[in-house]
Amino acid sequence: MTQPYRLAVVMDPIEDIKYAKDSTLAMLLAAQARGYTLTYLELGDLFLRDGVALGRGRALTVHADPAHWFDLGEPVVEPLGGFDTILMRKDPPFDVEYIYSTYILERAELAGALVVNRPRGLRDMNEKVYTAWFPECCAPTLITRNMADMAAFAAEHGRVVCKPLHGMGGRSIFVVDPSDKNMAVVFETLTDYGSQYAIVQRYLPEIAVTGDSRVLVIDGEPVPYALARMPSATDNRGNLAAGAKGVGRPLNDRDRELVARIGPALREAGMLFVGLDVIGGFVTEINVTSPTGIRELDTQFGIDVAGLLLDAIDKRLAARRQG
């Protein structure tokens, strides 16, 4: 009899997730339904000893119950390379601690574990900066520490969006016009007076009409529906965490064109689950750390996005066992 696959998940505290919206929980429920055994870890449970990646994990059982969605066993230390697959689902900020964790997970990968998403890709593909590899897919974008260059970019393009390179969930995102007397303060704040990089993009007014769409890409292929996140009447940000409303829609030709251009590079880099943020037909971010939107799309369209991801993982694990 074939042994069930062993899956470890690295995530934020499971007791703090939002049951109805959490994509990681959807993945865990799908994996458990397929017979995977689950182990739970937080970032602080990962460590290296003499080059061996280890984890202080706890056996995890998940439940489709909004009042009681998990049970945990007692902590056990074991090599991370002994797991068939490891889901890295720790949310940003993408800080130095996050980078250190990818080194540990890369040692686990070298010891035999399939890490989703691949640690090297998590380090190399900053969610804002990686758009520079696909400029033909993106609106005009400037990444700089120079505040004068930011002001010149704003004067060239009019309304612009400014944000840090390491955040998530709409944190510290500003929309400013060249006439805004707060513009200099925004640039000073984001760059810490020219000492750190930030990103400035041409504002895309389509966000107010069609939203900021999350296009999910699984092993280089698009999920057939996107989640358009519509900003509230009192906010510019198309982020669910900032109060935007998630409205599903079928993919359009431009979405598929963008995935056809970017998807192969993601697949080659071992990035099995990625979210493209698309506004007005332009990619604004390539989310590789912990993309969300699974639960909303499943609910609105009766699909199983986590199941599609598990299909991709199953395929790779089966090939490893055979080969």
Side-chain angles (χ1 to χ4, degrees):
M1 181 177 178
T2 304
Q3 286 289 106
Y5 291 128
R6 300 184 66 217
L7 180 152
V9 62
V10 181
M11 60 186 291
D12 291 301
I14 193 170
E15 64 269 19
D16 294 336
I17 67 173
K18 295 180 180 179
Y19 172 84
K21 295 184 176 182
D22 194 81
S23 292
T24 303
L25 180 60
M27 297 175 187
L28 296 172
L29 287 166
Q32 183 175 268
R34 294 186 181 209
Y36 281 64
T37 63
L38 308 180
T39 297
Y40 167 85
L41 304 108
E42 296 177 20
L43 210 63
D45 295 319
L46 309 181
F47 62 103
L48 285 170
R49 175 67 187 267
D50 301 326
V52 177
L54 300 165
R56 187 172 285 103
R58 288 175 280 178
L60 170 66
T61 304
V62 289
H63 312 284
D65 181 352
H68 179 73
W69 59 83
F70 72 97
D71 287 300
L72 291 173
E74 293 300 315
V76 176
V77 173
E78 59 180 314
L80 294 176
F83 290 97
D84 294 290
T85 188
I86 301 172
L87 297 182
M88 177 47 163
R89 293 288 299 174
K90 172 73 177 65
D91 284 340
F94 188 84
D95 53 15
V96 173
E97 290 300 307
Y98 193 105
I99 292 173
Y100 292 156
S101 74
T102 67
Y103 292 128
I104 299 173
L105 291 173
E106 189 164 1
R107 293 300 299 170
E109 179 184 55
L110 291 169
L114 173 67
V115 183
V116 180
N117 282 319
R118 193 175 184 188
R120 180 171 297 180
L122 292 175
R123 286 197 304 274
D124 289 351
M125 299 177 179
N126 175 276
E127 303 188 331
K128 279 79 170 175
V129 180
Y130 190 57
T131 58
W133 271 248
F134 309 96
E136 71 281 7
C137 299
C138 305
T141 299
L142 173 68
I143 297 173
T144 185
R145 300 175 10 157
N146 188 296
M147 292 180 284
D149 288 348
M150 288 180 159
F153 184 89
E156 178 185 356
H157 292 286
R159 207 173 197 196
V160 294
V161 177
C162 318
K163 49 191 172 181
L165 296 180
H166 61 274
M168 64 161 288
R171 296 173 187 170
S172 300
I173 294 178
F174 297 88
V175 177
V176 296
D177 299 293
S179 60
D180 191 335
K181 292 183 178 181
N182 288 313
M183 186 174 68
V185 176
V186 170
F187 295 159
E188 290 167 1
T189 300
L190 290 177
T191 67
D192 193 16
Y193 293 90
S195 66
Q196 60 188 29
Y197 284 95
I199 185 170
V200 188
Q201 296 170 316
R202 187 181 73 192
Y203 176 76
L204 299 169
E206 294 88 347
I207 190 172
V209 179
T210 57
D212 181 348
S213 293
R214 170 63 54 81
V215 177
L216 295 175
V217 183
I218 296 176
D219 203 10
E221 298 295 329
V223 171
Y225 300 93
L227 186 68
R229 296 157 304 169
M230 306 299 299
S232 71
T234 59
D235 205 313
N236 287 307
R237 296 171 295 177
N239 302 85
L240 298 180
K245 180 181 179 182
V247 180
R249 64 167 179 79
L251 294 192
N252 56 42
D253 290 343
R254 177 58 173 169
D255 297 326
R256 296 184 185 280
E257 179 184 333
L258 293 170
V259 175
R261 175 68 183 87
I262 300 172
L266 299 174
R267 181 190 300 114
E268 184 177 350
M271 311 308 279
L272 266 64
F273 189 67
V274 177
L276 306 183
D277 288 351
V278 180
I279 303 174
F282 294 103
V283 173
T284 61
E285 294 187 16
I286 300 175
N287 292 272
V288 300
T289 50
S290 56
T292 60
I294 286 180
R295 305 298 285 270
E296 292 86 352
L297 290 176
D298 285 354
T299 299
Q300 293 183 40
F301 297 105
I303 58 177
D304 180 13
V305 177
L308 296 175
L309 174 60
L310 264 295
D311 287 344
I313 292 174
D314 283 347
K315 182 179 179 180
R316 294 202 177 199
L317 294 181
R320 288 185 174 201
R321 283 193 172 179
Q322 292 171 3

